[in-house]
Amino acid sequence: MAERAALEELVRLQGERVRGLKQQKASTEQIEEEVAKLLKLKAQLGPDESKQKFVLKTPKGTRDYSPRQMAVREKVFDVIIRCFKRHGAEVIDTPVFELKDFDIAGQFDPMIPDAECLKIMCEILSSLQIGDFLVKVNDRRILDGMFAICGVPDSKFRTICSSVDKLDKVSWEEVKNEMVGEKGLAPEVADHIGDYVQQHGGVSLVEQLLQDPKLSQSKQALEGLGDLKLLFEYLTLFGIADKISFDLSLARGLDYYTGVIYEAVLLQTPTGAGEEPLGVGSVAAGGRYDGLVGMFDPKGRKVPCVGLSIGVERIFSIVEQRLEALEEKVRTTETQVLVASAQKKLLEERLKLVSELWDAGIKAELLYKKNPKLLNQLQYCEEAGIPLVAIIGEQELKEGVIKLRSVASREEVDVRREDLVEEIRRRTSQPLCIC
Amino acid sequence: MAERAALEELVRLQGERVRGLKQQKASTEQIEEEVAKLLKLKAQLGPDESKQKFVLKTPKGTRDYSPRQMAVREKVFDVIIRCFKRHGAEVIDTPVFELKDFDIAGQFDPMIPDAECLKIMCEILSSLQIGDFLVKVNDRRILDGMFAICGVPDSKFRTICSSVDKLDKVSWEEVKNEMVGEKGLAPEVADHIGDYVQQHGGVSLVEQLLQDPKLSQSKQALEGLGDLKLLFEYLTLFGIADKISFDLSLARGLDYYTGVIYEAVLLQTPTGAGEEPLGVGSVAAGGRYDGLVGMFDPKGRKVPCVGLSIGVERIFSIVEQRLEALEEKVRTTETQVLVASAQKKLLEERLKLVSELWDAGIKAELLYKKNPKLLNQLQYCEEAGIPLVAIIGEQELKEGVIKLRSVASREEVDVRREDLVEEIRRRTSQPLCIC
């Protein structure tokens, strides 16, 4: 589902108009590949039945993902969607969300929505359990102010930004060489930038820079630093300040963002035994882009907007690779219990019981055989990862009980039929965990 | 999301290879429209930013559904997906499901999976609460046998089938005129068919026809009737026999199905006050198509397959029209509680509390204002349909309580802060209902 795949990079909170923009932007890229992909597929298929048969012999190839992959994707989306809904988000077009319609400007006070975006980011990354992460934070205005007071000519702002943004991958020396050698920046200007962009820390760094004799000369920088100080107060109240790092080298998408910018990176790739280390880069990002919208607003009004996006495709591959490394068996169904029989001629009883369980909302299965061997039924549970077996036998029927067996421990207990649903619920209720 | 729309008609349980076939079929049609649609959109957009602006001024147009429609769709899908998962279905490509991989033939005994398909159909239609429904059941072999003993020439089988299938819309006289007048069937043959196809009922009709001197001469018909008798036994055990009607005029997709066929129809359109009656026809259908797969199997093996599909687009429009008629307010978010403050200077306390609630899994919001008026906060709840307000005031903070207000009843009670999460859960826990 290519259209979905394109949207998977667009899980975000944002204002009405900008969502329009974002979706549109996505569409343009997506349409190119989509058209190409579909025309190719169309050519493969051909218009007539006979050609189809070739494809039909390999139906697996017509499936986007394996059931295992689908199960992982479903669980990752479940975590993300739960989190957005917890924050009152509205589904625009799964998995695209909108928090509130930000239409009348000034409906909010500074940094409150920005703080919630970071909270959402942290909640999602924590619940996905893909390892330790850090959210780098910076502000467009701080970068602009810093470049100005360091003496970067306006014409070089953007190109110097892109050099600075490489600091998470390469050394300062390499970045400096690029600035001076390739981009013709004066060495002392580069060094001056270096003094700033190599710093990162918490709110104390914000306060320190507010006192910085040079940087404090820039009105822009002071605005940005002031907002970051406020942001950190809110992040502390949200209990996530320890996950946030003010990093002056973060300089992403500056022709796009107008204020606070953030990017979440995994601190360690979750490598299991014998697993290839995985270069995942950033797994989530976002920021504020207030000015932008005015461009498209007939009256040129400034519409405040914040957004965040989760790189779910990357997260899928991390989770999948991790599960493989751990040799974790991914369940592709959610069946809680298999209704089985110990003797022959009990199909009717199995059908009656499984129907009772379905009607009570229990996820239940039975084998489609009239007289399946108990061993085969237990084996099926092992393979499908079904945790419980409800075994009917003549003796149990006489006594009005069901033998409930735990597949893992192989323990069996007799449960009164009227208590069976509750007992299954009790035993299979567990917090959502994706691995 | 055209690709999704195409899949929405494909919610089904079936064997590996046929799913391949079905998806392939879907793809071919879907690729045509998809390519057309995307090329059109691409033309609109044009390659350059400037052209985009035109589109950006009407972002609404870039949205497939309104939040209200999305909410309805989400809830309908939720009901369907819950039901399929309850039956141990595996997600192939939401909303396409597979029950078990039916790969080694003969893994099942007759009519058990068929009965489960009908059970699933009934569970979904009941939980959707879209009004009374009836599932018509027939069998391809009974129709073939019936036509044979009535003296329909093989060459006319299919065309006579399509006439018979119209009986749910037009009178027998009209159907007969078509058979005799247009399709050149002998009047007495038509009358003979009429005696059968105008009958419908429960298992008693099956038993009656098993004794039918003429029909019982057809080996095919006897097989079909025998299986239907067994099917009704299982449907009785599943508690849905009263929803099922054996209807000899049901003759859908006969060049496709090989055994039992079924089709669910709404008995009455759920018309509210002043609502236009809605012609919805069948809302779900399915059947058995064993032979079919051999065509695509290299070794020509017969692979047993049953399938069912839910007409979700029809169901969406029924639910939407119904909600409009009832003037029901559809919530587009799931927020349980708004964290509000009674006095100024309580933003920090609001942020702390909303964060506590998020961390406890409660769906909570707050207004992004530093000092919002209580009236505005209550008004926001009314508009957004948020049922509860957790109000912080200086007095409450001193006493370690939160004032919990029901938006509907306007009742307020003081809840100990440590009991707040439980109290909110208790008050907002309710069974899923789509209207």
Side-chain angles (χ1 to χ4, degrees), chain B residues 13 43 61 68 83 164 178 207 220 290 316 329 353-354:
Chain B
L13 275 66
R68 179 195 162 98
C83 179
V164 166
E178 183 180 295
E207 277 152 353
Q220 274 189 301
D290 292 347
F316 290 153
K329 190 169 164 46
L353 180 59
V354 78

Side-chain angles (χ1 to χ4, degrees), chain B residues 164-227:
Chain B
V164 166
D165 202 37
K166 295 177 183 164
L167 258 180
D168 59 344
K169 296 170 202 65
V170 302
S171 71
W172 165 246
E173 284 61 38
E174 290 171 80
V175 171
K176 181 183 174 182
N177 290 340
E178 183 180 295
M179 289 177 168
V180 177
E182 295 173 32
K183 301 182 174 178
L185 204 66
E188 60 276 15
V189 174
D191 289 331
H192 199 165
I193 294 172
D195 299 340
Y196 287 113
V197 295
Q198 290 178 86
Q199 298 184 64
H200 52 82
V203 68
S204 54
L205 176 58
V206 178
E207 277 152 353
Q208 177 197 317
L209 288 175
L210 275 167
Q211 306 308 322
D212 182 278
K214 293 210 197 62
L215 200 57
S216 58
Q217 288 165 25
S218 156
K219 188 171 164 300
Q220 274 189 301
L222 281 182
E223 275 177 26
L225 288 164
D227 276 351

Side-chain angles (χ1 to χ4, degrees), chain A residues 13 83-89 98-100 102 109-124 231 234-235 238 240 244 262 288 306-308, chain B residues 335 351 354-355 358 362-368 380:
Chain A
L13 274 65
C83 179
F84 274 93
K85 288 190 171 177
R86 200 159 53 235
H87 287 263
E98 172 177 74
L99 191 58
K100 295 187 182 68
F102 288 173
D109 284 316
M111 294 299 112
I112 306 175
D114 310 68
E116 184 169 10
C117 280
L118 286 159
K119 174 72 172 169
I120 288 169
M121 213 181 241
C122 291
E123 281 181 23
I124 288 172
L231 180 67
Y234 297 159
L235 298 178
F238 282 165
I240 54 168
I244 314 294
Y262 29 86
R288 172 166 291 281
V306 291
L308 80 96
Chain B
T335 306
L351 292 175
V354 78
S355 185
W358 287 330
I362 298 289
K363 295 166 186 154
E365 288 183 50
L366 79 168
L367 292 198
Y368 293 143
Y380 178 79

Side-chain angles (χ1 to χ4, degrees), chain A residues 278-343:
Chain A
L278 190 70
V280 289
S282 88
V283 286
R288 172 166 291 281
Y289 31 85
D290 292 348
L292 199 65
V293 179
M295 288 162 52
F296 310 106
D297 180 67
K299 296 178 187 161
R301 283 168 304 194
K302 185 177 165 191
V303 179
C305 297
V306 291
L308 80 96
S309 68
I310 310 290
V312 290
E313 281 302 334
R314 276 174 179 168
I315 290 168
F316 290 153
S317 58
I318 294 167
V319 175
E320 276 164 17
Q321 186 164 351
R322 180 193 204 173
L323 292 172
E324 275 160 30
L326 297 170
E327 283 166 0
E328 279 268 0
K329 190 170 166 49
V330 182
R331 287 199 61 185
T332 58
T333 73
E334 297 175 13
T335 306
Q336 296 164 288
V337 61
L338 181 86
V339 172
S341 53
Q343 298 98 5

Side-chain angles (χ1 to χ4, degrees), chain A residues 19 24 34 45 62-63 85-86 90 99-100 109 116 119 332 334 359 364-365 368 370, chain B residues 19 24 34 38 56 62-63 85-86 90 99-100 109 116 119 332 334 359 364-365 368 370:
Chain A
R19 192 190 54 256
Q24 216 49 62
E34 188 73 333
L45 288 175
T62 68
R63 188 193 260 185
K85 288 190 171 177
R86 200 159 53 235
E90 190 173 72
L99 191 58
K100 295 187 182 68
D109 284 316
E116 184 169 10
K119 174 72 172 169
T332 58
E334 297 175 13
D359 295 344
E365 289 184 50
Y368 293 143
K370 239 175 133 68
Chain B
R19 191 189 54 256
Q24 213 48 63
E34 191 72 335
L38 290 169
L56 288 164
T62 68
R63 186 194 264 186
K85 288 190 170 177
R86 202 158 53 232
E90 190 172 73
L99 191 58
K100 293 187 187 67
D109 283 317
E116 186 170 9
K119 173 72 172 169
T332 58
E334 296 175 12
D359 295 344
E365 288 183 50
Y368 293 143
K370 242 175 131 67

Side-chain angles (χ1 to χ4, degrees), chain A residues 94-136:
Chain A
T94 319
V96 181
F97 293 87
E98 172 177 74
L99 191 58
K100 295 187 182 68
D101 214 338
F102 288 173
D103 259 345
I104 306 134
Q107 266 299 1
F108 73 100
D109 284 316
M111 294 299 112
I112 306 175
D114 310 68
E116 184 169 10
C117 280
L118 286 159
K119 174 72 172 169
I120 288 169
M121 213 181 241
C122 291
E123 281 181 23
I124 288 172
L125 293 175
S126 305
S127 6
L128 285 172
Q129 299 167 307
I130 49 176
D132 280 354
F133 62 91
L134 190 75
V135 184
K136 298 179 182 176

